[in-house]
Structure formats: C-alpha cells, structure tokens
Amino acid sequence: MAGRFEGLSDLEWKLFEDIFPKELKKRGKGMPHAPDRHVLNSMLYILITGCRWCDLPRGDMWASKSSSHRWLKRWRSDRTFELFTSAYSCDACGGLRLR
C-alpha cells in the first residue's frame, strides 16, 4: 500500500544534511543545481508513495524528475545514498519516522 509523504521537516533535514556532498562549483553553463533537500524530498516521495518518476509533484520543495534521477545515479555511484540509508536505518531504530 502506498504511503503519504509531504516533504522533510526542518528537524528531519538537519539529521541528514551532513551526509550529502557539499555544493559543487558551477561550471558556468546550464541551470543551477537543485538543492539536496529538494532532491531528497523527491526521491523519498517516489520510495514512499510508489509513484512513477513522471508523477512527481511540482513546486518549490521538489526537484524535477530528471534532476532527481540524475542525482540518484550520482549518489549511488559515490555511495552517498548508501550513507543516507544506513543513517536512516539507525535513526529509525531510535524512533524517527518520516511521515
């Protein structure tokens, strides 16, 4: 059964903020990088609700589907996503639950 997710609260984001790589320098061309918090919100929305990438909500707290997917691939290759899932597992044992 699909869940409901409305984005990370400020407290939840503070718990995971240090796991993600610091802001990359912009190479001068293209769009600015989506904030990590927005990308993580989008990825968690996919995982919790079970929706397709094309059905991600749009708004000021969500990253685009292409940006979210690109960052997921990058974070999986540099093991950032693995750090996040292990940190989430540890915090979940302590009682943290994402909505």
Side-chain angles (χ1 to χ4, degrees), residues 10 17 25 29-30 34 37 51 57 59 61 76 78 80 83 89 99:
D10 291 338
E17 181 175 33
K25 292 189 178 186
K29 293 185 178 182
R37 183 175 180 171
C51 79
M61 64 182 284
R76 286 182 67 193
D78 70 7
T80 299
L83 289 172
S89 298
R99 291 178 242 145

Side-chain angles (χ1 to χ4, degrees), residues 13 23 32-40 60 62-63 67 71 75:
W13 172 243
E23 192 73 26
H33 292 293
D36 291 339
R37 183 175 180 171
H38 297 180
V39 174
L40 186 59
D60 59 349
W62 309 100
S67 182
W71 280 103
W75 287 345

Side-chain angles (χ1 to χ4, degrees), residues 1-49:
M1 180 173 185
R4 181 179 171 159
F5 180 68
E6 296 177 359
L8 293 169
S9 69
D10 291 338
L11 174 62
E12 291 165 339
W13 172 243
K14 286 288 181 197
L15 294 172
F16 303 117
E17 181 175 33
D18 296 333
I19 293 172
F20 298 95
K22 297 302 172 215
E23 192 73 26
L24 300 174
K25 292 189 178 186
K26 191 163 173 15
R27 294 181 297 193
K29 293 185 178 182
M31 297 288 293
H33 292 293
D36 291 339
R37 183 175 180 171
H38 297 180
V39 174
L40 186 59
N41 277 342
S42 299
M43 287 183 204
L44 289 173
Y45 187 87
I46 295 286
L47 292 170
I48 291 169
T49 64

